[in-house]
Amino acid sequence: MKAEARPKIIGARVQRVEDPRLLAGRGAFIDDLNLPGTLHVAFCRSDHAHARIVDIESAEASRMPGVAAVITAVDIADKMQPIRATSRMADYYATELPVLARDKVRYVGEAVVAVVASSRYLAEDAVEQIAITYEPLGDAIDPVAAAKPGSPLLHEEAGSNVIVTRTFARGDVDAVMASAAVRVGDTFRMHRKTPTAMENRGYLAEYDQGRRALTLHSTTQVPGIVRDALVEMLDLPGNRLRVVAPDVGGGFGGKAALYPEEILVCIIARQLGRPVKWLSDRLEDLMSTNQAFDEIVEAELACDDEGRILGLRAEVIGDVGAYSVYPWTAAIEPVQVVSFLPGPYRVPSYRGRVRAIVTSKTPTGAYRGVGRPISTFVMERLIDMAAARLSLDPLQMRRRNMVRSEEFPYKSASGIVWDRAGFMECLDGVATAADYQSLRQQQAQARAAGRWVGIGLASYAELTGLGSRIAVAPGMPVNTGTESASLRIDSTGAVTASFGIASHGQGLETTLAQVIAEELGVRVEDVEVIHGDSAAVAHGTGTFASRSTVLAGGAAIMSARAVREKVLEAASHLLEVDVGDMDAADGRIFVKGTDRALTFRELARAVYSEMGRLPREVREGIELEATRMYDPYFGTSTPASHLAMVEIDPETYRVTVTRYVVAEDCGRVINPLIADGQVQGGVAQGIGAALMEEVVHDDGGQILTASLMDYVVPTAAEIPAMEIIHMETELPDNIGGFRGMGEGGTIGAPAAVANAIADALAPLGIMINELPATPERLFRLIEAMNTEQPE
Amino acid sequence: MKPPAFEYLAATSLEQAVAALADDEAKVLAGGQSLVPMLNFRLLAPSILVDITRIPGLDFVEGDGDGGLRIGALTRHYTLETSALVQTDFPVLSAAMNHVAHLAIRNRGTIGGSLCHGDPAAELPGLALLLNAQLKTTQRTIAATDFFASALSTILAEDEILTEITLPALPPRTGWGFEEFARRSGDFALAAVGATVSLSGEEVSEARIVVIGAHDTPLRLSAAEALLTSRSGIAAAAKAAQDQVSPSDDLHGSADYRRHLVGVLTRRALTAAWQRAEGSAP
Amino acid sequence: MIRVTVNGVTSEHEVEARLLLADFLRHSLGLTGTHVGCEQGVCGACTVLLNGDSVRACLCFAVQADGGEIETVESLGTVDDLHPLQKAFQEHHALQCGFCTPGMLMTGIDLLRKYPLATDAEIREGLSGNLCRCTGYEHLVQAIRSAVEARNES
């Protein structure tokens, strides 16, 4: 085979290697692992939002059939070091992260007592026998009220329920606002979401008493982070504490933090010397998995009379729930709202101030998009509001203000540096693909016929694949800016690549194999990708923040190139030709232009087993393996533009998304099937956020959305077909040319749908400033309008 | 979310089942599609579940020879949905079945189970009311209008089992409409309205309107029905329907919004029913 | 004592009355392909065929299946020899994390047997009892559509 004919593997629609096992029901998810003698945990969780624990009566539970232990905070206090999500950020209070509530509870659903029994059925029977006496301590439910002095304090030692305050500023925005030709503003509200992975969280710990070694099987996105934290908490060295993520049924950020339950199963397994499993049920998931997207944003945009943005200012309140989650802190989401608010636009003056308020609700953490679904919703609404005021087309308004290609690198108003990326290309791309002008004509015709049809655009840019220069969460002490790949050709010629990332639906077993196959010269099916195992590499964190393709992909290229050099060197000795005259492809190393070749198996045998085929000085140092660590330093900029078209039933107010188009720039696409799937899944969650999903608490902090009947995620019937275009702008400074793209769909969709609804309702003079825009909310807006303006 | 412990009896006759129900804490188990979630949430703790699905002779759909139907209480929703008899004689029932949850639930859930569960947002109780069903039990025959007591409650005695539903024939030239609004495909209705309009010459011989999800039981809207003397009465009937219901607020919709929906859905259902009665719609 | 035929194999088991069919399949028989996502009857991940009809295995007790025939995802194809519907899922990238997949497949089998599925809207309606949080459903619709076409041709 000639070098020119090498198959292009990167960019091909390769079918996923993880699929056959998942399709055949042969995956290994956490609850598929059955170890003999496993004990099962069920929790007695708080039914109070904020209360002192006066008494726990658990004697009856201890006597129930099958019960091995009943455990409270007191029982574990001396078996672990406590943990807090610290940060170098000023004006931040790091709350504790209790494993079981001690002294008081701070949200409904917080674990107070653990029952350990021979089955989950029996454990739940025993939980019913536990009686906890509480003394209510006053509510801190509404974040605005909770921020006021004198309201009940969730963490007394913090002195306030405001645990983060931060401001980003550029220029004198107040002066700019005062003199601007056009000012638009509103108070925007995004209501709380929960990630709702289809697989609930689950943890299984086994303690090897002989080796004094602990293995935690965890539905985690971040096995490396969990391992490193548990090493500190449990005082075990890293070589005797292993965290393994088996097949994981979706995460979306909800499985990207250290959880109390996973600490607890480790403690119990070590104490009892038996495997201990806790599997969240859906009720627990909806109460205890970290939630997100709960912000109130008061924002104002100033423009000149031609629609050029002059200034932006915002006050953000983030309702972060009861605790600061590890390692991201409670700041991760609300701070991102203000740092990303200026979007992909030139904003000369800016002030964004954020306050994160603890409330007696489930803690918030990372959820797909983190902050940017809110910042994009707000900014894109403001852009449309300004365009409407100026009678400018929303597309024109965006074109006028978006950072242009000659301006990169562009430092945003909040200090983010946008690297070269297809900002304008995506906007033009979506307009062309959707045939924007003809959509406007269709809309005009529909309106003339009395139909409520709207078109919404949303543009944004995100930082993905973050390197060591930028922290995922402000001031966090955990380095997530690097990722390693350890590539090895063993003595049988088989290729194994180990990573610190943890694929849980992203198809990284396939895309990373594609990268290695192309770089090394083997077939995709020849590469076994190991991930989700803290023992696989010296340091790894996991899969979150749209990073894995960029970081692990980069490390894969580096390690594959290093191994390829050794392969070719060994082959040059074996075939007695210059390295430059050889190439590798399809699992063979060959002399270019000839049929002389070696398979990887033959090569490995010659290197490792067949003594005498290589001289000693070559053999030493030619072990067919390499570990490389990649640091993209700043990370990559990923822009996109979304277009949504909706039709609203003018009587029931049901919103139907009739068209959805995305143009995004994820750089070089490794696998178009997978890239499309990532966008489609993200958009579906964004449509859910825009139209239906909302965690609801009552005034007493009780969670009302504790089932999938009540926390309403979209089904196939509510999600439209989607058209997706990948712009693939070049990325010279990045080794693979890949930009991260896992979260983007969820960032753009709420804004695009909100703008489309607002556009549909524009003839009525109705504004959309609150999501989800449920039929109930639209009904109230329309009723209010009818009351104000009687016919 | 594991159910609490209970005894289980797979009854093979109605007599055996009725005897087992003498236990105060006993519960009838049919398709289980409403009961099992409640058990998984541990909202109920029955001493014994009396499974009646193995009792022979309760799973049938038969014509009564007169345009009416007899339906066994253990008939599954899917059977009803696809029954040719139902499609021919009571197309409104077929149409409503399409809105019941999802195939896997319709495969398993029984007609009798849904009626006895008495969820005010479920379709079948409303349809029973709309179609003047007679509900035959191990003790007596009850008119659908008398059957539903309040939310999730019927007038059945603890040891009484529903065995058969009979639907009397609809008058000739009867058109129907069924309109439902739910948040998602297959969810319980925020509101739904079923209607029939029977014409005799140019006159309305009978109109029936039933609303679901807007009251603690399904509700027949007689005041609205009375206003439907001509096609032009549809708007007034819809307004009356809206005024007649007093739904409650919940997570998915306020009372005001549900009332609004009842008005919209009533108008749509009546319009469809009228068109079908006239023969101007299929 | 119950007697069930699961994927063609008949066996007898002593089970507690409250044991959910899903737990019976997964833990008593080791057929872990059937997944449990909610135990509320909403997500559809646990869908299996009972006497040929798709049912939620979390809304059924093992004792209710006594004398019945059950088919789980393991009855379709193997890793080396996938069933045509499984192949369609792979070709169209209709799964990401794979957790909802067994339920989607078993629902798909029943839908394909029972409904014309003439339009995408009908396919979406049919799939609406199975939640997927990864795919955004588009590729699932494409996979089912290709299976409908194959069915209609044969």
Side-chain angles (χ1 to χ4, degrees):
Chain A
M1 183 187 287
K2 293 187 177 150
E4 306 78 76
R6 269 179 63 185
K8 287 299 287 180
I9 304 172
I10 294 178
R13 295 170 72 86
V14 174
Q15 291 183 15
R16 299 198 324 166
V17 299
E18 37 286 79
D19 284 355
R21 70 169 189 268
L22 297 173
L23 285 162
R26 301 291 174 184
F29 292 88
I30 189 77
D31 195 36
D32 304 345
L33 311 176
N34 278 306
L35 302 173
T38 298
L39 294 169
H40 299 263
V41 177
F43 290 100
C44 185
R45 293 177 180 273
S46 171
D47 52 8
H48 282 252
H50 185 205
R52 195 168 70 81
I53 300 170
V54 178
D55 180 53
I56 297 173
E57 178 48 57
S58 62
E60 185 64 26
S62 306
R63 289 193 291 269
M64 293 286 286
V67 172
V70 176
I71 292 166
T72 65
V74 177
D75 303 320
I76 56 169
D78 62 346
K79 296 184 173 62
M80 54 170 268
Q81 294 297 317
I83 193 159
R84 283 173 196 260
T86 57
S87 166
R88 290 182 296 275
M89 181 172 42
D91 301 319
Y92 162 67
Y93 175 78
T95 75
E96 62 175 327
L97 185 69
V99 171
L100 291 169
R102 184 167 188 169
D103 305 329
K104 73 178 202 172
V105 292
R106 294 181 179 86
Y107 69 95
V108 172
E110 183 170 3
V112 184
V113 185
V115 172
V116 188
S118 54
S119 82
R120 174 72 185 222
Y121 287 79
L122 294 173
E124 288 191 23
D125 291 347
V127 165
E128 287 195 314
Q129 302 305 317
I130 293 170
I132 305 174
T133 310
Y134 294 101
E135 177 193 329
L137 290 172
D139 294 336
I141 309 294
D142 171 51
V144 177
K148 290 187 177 136
S151 63
L153 292 180
L154 278 191
H155 301 273
E156 291 83 355
E157 64 287 3
S160 167
N161 288 327
V162 182
I163 62 162
V164 177
T165 307
R166 191 142 185 219
T167 303
F168 292 79
R170 174 156 92 182
D172 185 352
V173 71
D174 294 331
V176 168
M177 285 280 171
S179 61
V182 173
R183 275 166 61 177
V184 291
D186 207 338
T187 299
F188 298 89
R189 183 79 168 95
M190 177 76 95
H191 290 280
R192 182 176 277 244
K193 318 292 180 201
T194 182
T196 332
M198 292 323 301
E199 179 202 35
N200 291 310
R201 292 185 294 119
Y203 310 111
L204 168 63
E206 47 176 329
Y207 186 66
D208 180 336
Q209 288 175 312
R211 288 180 53 238
R212 288 176 297 149
L214 185 78
T215 302
L216 171 68
H217 306 270
S218 168
T219 58
T220 187
Q221 298 173 231
V222 288
I225 289 174
V226 171
R227 193 271 309 264
D228 292 359
L230 289 175
V231 157
E232 300 295 327
M233 299 184 76
L234 303 178
D235 192 25
L236 275 170
N239 54 10
R240 286 197 275 123
L241 205 166
R242 181 176 169 201
V243 177
V244 186
D247 283 324
V248 172
F252 317 112
K255 293 172 179 167
L258 175 72
Y259 278 94
E261 298 93 345
E262 68 191 327
I263 303 167
L264 189 73
V265 294
C266 291
I267 294 170
I268 302 172
R270 194 180 187 182
Q271 188 180 339
L272 301 182
R274 288 176 64 179
V276 175
K277 179 190 274 186
W278 172 72
L279 192 68
S280 172
D281 60 33
R282 187 56 69 181
L283 181 63
E284 291 180 291
D285 179 67
L286 292 169
M287 292 194 300
S288 70
T289 294
N290 295 339
Q291 301 178 348
F293 291 11
D294 196 348
E295 272 87 23
I296 302 165
V297 182
E298 198 184 325
E300 202 172 10
L301 182 75
C303 306
D304 68 15
D305 54 11
E306 292 182 325
R308 282 184 212 90
I309 294 171
L310 300 173
L312 171 68
R313 67 184 170 197
E315 290 283 333
V316 176
I317 289 177
D319 177 343
V320 298
Y323 297 104
S324 206
V325 302
Y326 187 89
W328 314 112
T329 79
I332 181 169
E333 177 157 290
V335 171
Q336 294 242 74
V337 174
V338 278
S339 60
F340 283 88
L341 191 62
Y345 305 109
R346 290 185 300 278
V347 177
S349 66
Y350 176 55
R351 187 180 62 243
R353 188 170 83 108
V354 59
R355 287 181 301 155
I357 320 292
V358 284
T359 58
S360 25
K361 296 177 195 159
T362 307
T364 60
Y367 170 46
R368 202 172 197 169
V370 189
R372 293 154 302 184
I374 297 94
S375 66
T376 305
F377 162 52
V378 172
M379 187 63 177
E380 294 299 295
R381 284 296 302 125
L382 290 170
I383 295 264
D384 270 23
M385 288 159 69
R389 182 76 61 81
L390 289 158
S391 300
L392 265 179
D393 185 274
L395 180 62
Q396 187 59 28
M397 179 80 187
R398 284 174 177 78
R399 283 204 176 116
R400 198 157 287 178
N401 288 288
M402 196 170 279
V403 176
R404 291 187 299 265
S405 55
E406 67 273 18
E407 294 174 285
F408 295 116
Y410 180 86
K411 190 169 189 181
S412 86
S414 60
I416 292 169
V417 177
W418 297 124
D419 202 357
R420 177 170 303 281
F423 284 37
M424 201 68 94
E425 290 86 342
C426 287
L427 182 59
D428 289 341
V430 83
T432 306
D435 196 356
Y436 182 77
Q437 295 312 328
S438 102
L439 286 189
R440 284 291 177 202
Q441 286 161 13
Q442 288 174 32
Q443 179 190 26
Q445 286 163 6
R447 270 192 183 155
R451 290 160 57 199
W452 295 4
V453 170
I455 298 165
L457 285 167
S459 298
Y460 64 87
E462 50 172 332
L463 284 179
T464 57
L466 295 180
S468 62
R469 182 70 181 78
I470 298 173
V472 167
M476 64 181 288
V478 175
N479 167 37
T480 67
T482 57
E483 201 52 68
S484 302
S486 195
L487 185 62
R488 162 186 294 178
I489 301 172
D490 65 26
S491 53
T492 70
V495 181
T496 303
S498 303
F499 295 91
I501 54 95
S503 186
H504 49 282
Q506 296 85 349
L508 288 156
E509 288 175 34
T510 305
T511 46
L512 292 174
Q514 284 179 261
V515 170
I516 287 164
E518 176 155 317
E519 290 288 340
L520 191 59
V522 297
R523 299 170 305 172
V524 172
E525 58 269 33
D526 295 334
V527 183
E528 185 72 16
V529 170
I530 307 290
H531 62 90
D533 184 345
S534 68
V537 288
H539 171 257
T541 51
T543 290
F544 53 89
S546 302
R547 70 189 293 273
S548 292
T549 303
V550 180
L551 278 86
I557 292 172
M558 291 164 73
S559 62
R561 288 178 184 170
V563 173
R564 181 186 165 88
E565 266 185 43
K566 296 184 188 186
V567 165
L568 293 182
E569 193 193 336
S572 92
H573 282 277
L574 294 166
L575 297 171
E576 298 178 322
V577 290
D578 284 350
V579 165
D581 293 332
M582 291 188 306
D583 203 351
D586 263 342
R588 292 162 71 252
I589 306 111
F590 55 91
V591 182
K592 291 181 203 168
T594 75
D595 57 4
R596 292 176 60 205
L598 278 172
T599 64
F600 273 68
R601 173 176 290 199
E602 288 163 345
L603 180 95
R605 212 177 279 148
V607 168
Y608 291 120
S609 306
E610 296 168 355
M611 294 301 110
R613 292 200 62 187
L614 290 171
R616 178 182 173 188
E617 63 275 18
V618 174
R619 187 184 301 278
E620 285 180 353
I622 209 154
E623 70 291 331
L624 301 176
E625 57 184 298
T627 298
R628 290 291 182 273
M629 187 155 82
Y630 179 57
D631 177 1
Y633 202 55
F634 284 109
T636 56
S637 303
T638 305
S641 283
H642 291 213
L643 181 145
M645 193 161 178
V646 304
E647 176 150 9
I648 303 174
D649 183 320
E651 295 182 321
T652 64
Y653 314 126
R654 181 193 297 288
V655 178
T656 305
V657 182
T658 54
R659 185 92 191 266
Y660 207 97
V661 188
V662 177
E664 66 88 44
D665 177 12
C666 66
R668 188 155 65 129
V669 173
I670 298 173
N671 186 330
L673 270 178
I674 289 177
D676 285 353
Q678 289 295 302
V679 177
Q680 287 160 351
V683 167
Q685 289 187 15
I687 290 174
L691 296 179
M692 51 184 77
E693 293 181 38
E694 179 174 2
V695 175
V696 182
H697 292 85
D698 70 11
D699 293 343
Q702 296 294 329
I703 187 158
L704 303 181
T705 43
S707 84
L708 289 179
M709 290 299 281
D710 293 325
Y711 186 77
V712 186
V713 302
T715 77
E718 288 78 43
I719 297 298
M722 297 170 210
E723 300 148 73
I724 295 151
I725 305 134
H726 304 287
M727 304 313 293
E728 299 202 73
T729 304
E730 279 187 20
L731 194 61
D733 292 339
N734 180 283
I735 187 166
F738 316 130
R739 305 173 193 273
M741 53 99 64
E743 297 168 271
T746 308
I747 297 174
V753 172
N755 275 341
I757 296 171
D759 187 42
L761 299 177
L764 306 177
I766 287 171
M767 296 299 223
I768 296 296
N769 58 7
E770 193 172 4
L771 294 181
T774 58
E776 170 72 34
R777 285 206 172 91
L778 296 182
F779 166 74
R780 276 189 259 139
L781 287 170
I782 290 161
E783 286 290 290
M785 188 62 63
N786 290 342
T787 317
E788 270 172 37
Q789 301 166 338
E791 285 171 26
Chain B
M1 289 201 49
K2 302 299 182 191
F6 49 77
E7 297 291 314
Y8 172 82
L9 172 72
T12 52
S13 71
L14 283 168
E15 296 70 29
Q16 187 191 13
V18 167
L21 289 171
D23 182 335
D24 279 354
E25 305 294 315
K27 275 291 232 184
V28 175
L29 171 66
Q33 302 302 285
S34 302
L35 180 63
V36 182
M38 294 174 83
L39 290 167
N40 289 354
F41 273 110
R42 296 199 178 214
L43 296 172
L44 298 172
S47 56
I48 180 167
L49 290 188
V50 181
D51 184 348
I52 60 169
T53 57
R54 288 167 201 275
I55 298 173
L58 296 176
D59 177 5
F60 59 87
V61 181
E62 288 171 7
D64 65 1
D66 214 13
L69 282 185
R70 293 174 54 236
I71 305 169
L74 290 180
T75 306
R76 312 275 175 179
H77 285 74
Y78 176 74
T79 309
L80 209 57
E81 172 194 349
T82 52
S83 154
L85 272 175
V86 174
Q87 275 164 359
T88 309
D89 295 338
F90 295 92
V92 65
L93 188 52
S94 297
M97 286 305 99
N98 279 324
H99 290 272
V100 179
H102 307 282
L103 177 59
I105 304 285
R106 296 198 293 269
N107 277 335
R108 190 93 189 127
T110 65
I111 305 311
S114 175
L115 291 168
C116 295
H117 184 58
D119 192 314
E123 289 80 2
L124 260 175
L127 267 291
L129 211 55
L130 181 72
L131 298 175
N132 288 343
Q134 295 287 316
L135 308 179
K136 194 173 150 195
T137 76
T138 45
Q139 296 180 10
R140 53 191 159 155
T141 297
I142 307 167
T145 41
D146 300 327
F147 189 74
F148 304 102
S150 62
L152 306 182
S153 165
T154 69
I155 64 160
L156 286 181
E158 295 290 338
D159 61 348
E160 187 175 11
I161 297 172
L162 178 63
T163 55
E164 183 180 319
I165 297 96
T166 60
L167 302 179
L170 289 166
R173 293 188 65 208
T174 295
W176 59 274
F178 186 82
E179 295 287 333
E180 175 165 325
F181 188 93
R183 296 280 305 273
R184 287 178 301 193
S185 167
D187 279 2
F188 277 109
L190 261 71
V193 175
T196 60
V197 173
S198 306
L199 296 181
S200 170
E202 296 299 298
E203 302 286 299
V204 175
S205 60
E206 189 188 16
R208 302 181 202 163
I209 306 169
V210 163
V211 63
I212 295 162
H215 193 73
D216 69 349
T217 62
L219 197 62
R220 181 94 180 252
L221 300 178
S222 42
E225 290 169 1
L227 292 169
L228 199 74
T229 51
S230 69
R231 182 158 187 165
S232 59
I234 289 178
K239 173 76 170 60
Q242 184 169 341
D243 293 343
Q244 197 180 337
V245 296
S246 47
S248 48
D249 291 320
D250 80 2
L251 198 56
H252 302 293
S254 64
D256 286 346
Y257 177 52
R258 286 165 189 262
R259 209 165 13 242
H260 166 84
L261 280 177
V262 166
V264 172
L265 299 176
T266 302
R267 200 197 69 241
R268 289 181 180 181
L270 285 173
T271 304
W274 195 284
Q275 286 169 348
R276 288 189 174 105
E278 279 182 329
S280 60
Chain C
M1 185 71 79
I2 62 166
R3 182 183 174 84
V4 288
T5 303
V6 181
N7 301 337
V9 178
T10 304
S11 56
E12 293 190 345
H13 302 267
E14 197 72 56
V15 295
E16 206 185 346
R18 63 167 160 169
L19 184 67
L20 294 168
L21 179 60
D23 287 333
F24 170 71
L25 292 170
R26 292 178 49 75
H27 301 306
S28 306
L29 301 185
L31 293 169
T32 54
T34 299
H35 294 157
V36 176
C38 73
E39 297 170 298
Q40 300 169 344
V42 185
C43 81
C46 65
T47 304
V48 298
L49 303 186
L50 174 58
N51 299 324
D53 295 318
S54 58
V55 303
R56 309 277 208 229
C58 77
L59 295 189
C60 183
F61 297 111
V63 287
Q64 292 174 277
D66 185 19
E69 285 195 25
I70 297 160
E71 293 157 82
T72 68
V73 68
E74 286 94 342
S75 73
L76 298 181
T78 63
V79 167
D80 295 315
D81 182 21
L82 294 174
H83 179 280
L85 187 60
Q86 291 169 319
K87 278 187 190 156
F89 271 48
Q90 184 175 22
E91 280 160 17
H92 292 276
H93 184 32
L95 66 155
Q96 290 184 23
C97 78
F99 195 80
C100 75
T101 308
M104 286 284 182
L105 287 167
M106 301 318 280
T107 297
I109 296 278
D110 200 21
L111 289 173
L112 284 159
R113 284 180 191 160
K114 288 180 173 161
Y115 293 97
L117 306 176
T119 62
D120 281 2
E122 202 191 334
I123 293 172
R124 287 179 181 276
E125 178 73 33
L127 291 178
S128 69
N130 292 65
L131 299 178
C132 169
R133 199 62 163 157
C134 292
T135 62
Y137 302 108
E138 174 68 11
H139 286 166
L140 275 160
V141 173
Q142 289 174 12
I144 299 284
R145 190 199 299 134
S146 79
V148 170
E149 285 163 6
R151 177 197 67 184
N152 294 349
E153 278 163 20
S154 65

